[in-house]
Amino acid sequence: MRIYTTTNAPVGISTGMDKGSGSGVIIDEQGYIVTNQHVIEGATQIQVVLNDDRDASAKLVGIDPDNDIAVLKIDLKDLIPITMGREEELRVGDVVLAIGNPFDVGQSVSMGIVSALHRTQMGANTFENFIQTDAAINSGDSGGALINLRGELIGINTAILGPNGGNIGIGFAIPSNMVKDLTDQIIKYGEVRRGVLGVMGGELTTDLAKAFGYDKQNGAFVSQVMPGSAADNAGIKAGDIIVSINDNPVRSFGELRAKVATMGAGKVVNLG
């Protein structure tokens, strides 16, 4: 799907209206669409064009700037929502397709593989747990779908590393699990109600692991627990190493932070 925005240009910068373009994904039969927050930032009008050439004005439901996610809504019938895939089933080397509207040439598909999982500290979002792919992602692809060969959504194309904004085979997508958690909250509340565990910590280094008698290097090291927090009430102590959340491995503190933050306040999670 193509998304076109119109923005009132600041006085002194240009005259008339500034226009931009991006991509989006239908996630609900009722007309809810997910895209990146930066695609629609500052927009006064948002127009959506579907693959069957139907178009509609879109209403902004809510945004989460910390994860660069926005939810829109259109009023059209016979919409077919995408099927959500599961982040846990992804493996490095899996073939993926990136769908978007690069440089506003129209809907396009590029093919690549999953280059890496659980990328954090990229400096793109506040909470990061990116899928990295070498499928071509360019300007205008933001907000588009990253899908597996079953046609399931596994991520939302969000950022690239490259000179002058061009593709050099290093692109990043927000995983579908995080997308679903965030969009569910925005649709229900109009905003994201951030989950907080109540720990401070950092990445697990070889020296830290050795000092605590841990023979692996994957996990989130806890250096401090906030008194009265959920973590404190659950019995987590400074010096603990969190290795899983809801029976899924945790590889870094950044991954733990991103997953807890996007799950939403009030959720019950099992930690290893």
Side-chain angles (χ1 to χ4, degrees):
M1 149 190 319
R2 290 167 283 162
I3 295 177
Y4 297 97
T5 60
T6 304
T7 306
N8 287 322
V11 176
I13 293 180
S14 63
T15 59
M17 310 289 275
D18 283 350
K19 296 186 176 181
S21 64
S23 306
V25 182
I26 298 171
I27 57 171
D28 186 276
E29 293 176 351
Q30 302 302 312
Y32 290 105
I33 295 166
V34 62
T35 186
N36 285 138
Q37 185 265 340
H38 75 259
V39 169
I40 53 85
E41 185 174 12
T44 54
Q45 297 177 27
I46 305 171
Q47 196 75 11
V48 169
V49 180
L50 306 187
N51 193 41
D52 60 10
D53 290 330
R54 287 188 293 167
D55 66 276
S57 295
K59 174 186 175 183
L60 179 61
V61 178
I63 62 172
D64 178 23
D66 288 333
N67 280 101
D68 197 9
I69 285 289
V71 176
L72 313 175
K73 192 174 189 302
I74 57 174
D75 186 17
L76 288 176
K77 295 181 179 180
D78 301 320
L79 298 173
I80 302 175
I82 198 163
T83 301
M84 289 284 184
R86 288 177 55 79
E87 175 192 357
E88 293 82 5
E89 296 177 356
L90 283 180
R91 298 292 182 270
V92 173
D94 284 354
V95 176
V96 292
L97 305 175
I99 304 174
N101 179 29
F103 303 107
D104 197 22
V105 300
Q107 180 167 299
S108 301
V109 180
S110 59
M111 183 176 74
I113 63 169
V114 174
S115 303
L117 296 167
H118 312 294
R119 288 295 196 206
T120 60
Q121 299 179 320
M122 303 306 300
N125 293 345
T126 303
F127 301 102
E128 298 180 341
N129 183 34
F130 287 127
I131 300 166
Q132 182 182 327
T133 180
D134 67 349
I137 298 175
N138 288 287
S139 178
D141 284 325
S142 291
L146 187 69
I147 65 173
N148 59 25
L149 294 186
R150 295 190 295 271
E152 298 167 335
L153 183 74
I154 59 170
I156 293 295
N157 304 323
T158 298
I160 57 175
L161 287 179
N164 304 316
N167 172 67
I168 59 170
I170 305 176
F172 301 97
I174 303 170
S176 56
N177 290 14
M178 289 178 63
V179 171
K180 187 176 188 312
D181 286 337
L182 294 166
T183 55
D184 284 351
Q185 293 175 65
I186 291 173
I187 291 170
K188 185 175 182 179
Y189 304 115
E191 62 182 1
V192 171
R193 299 185 176 181
R194 196 75 62 198
V196 178
L197 190 59
V199 298
M200 296 180 67
E203 308 308 336
L204 184 63
T205 65
T206 303
D207 290 340
L208 270 176
K210 186 180 295 184
F212 284 88
Y214 185 54
D215 61 358
K216 299 179 182 179
Q217 284 186 252
N218 289 332
F221 178 74
V222 177
S223 62
Q224 185 178 352
V225 178
M226 304 297 105
S229 66
D232 187 28
N233 294 334
I236 296 175
K237 305 294 184 185
D240 283 349
I241 299 168
I242 297 174
V243 298
S244 68
I245 181 168
N246 291 338
D247 298 322
N248 296 309
V250 168
R251 294 158 186 82
S252 67
F253 193 85
E255 181 184 348
L256 173 72
R257 180 171 176 262
K259 285 186 172 180
V260 170
T262 55
M263 281 181 178
K267 290 287 183 70
V268 177
V269 297
N270 294 316
L271 300 177

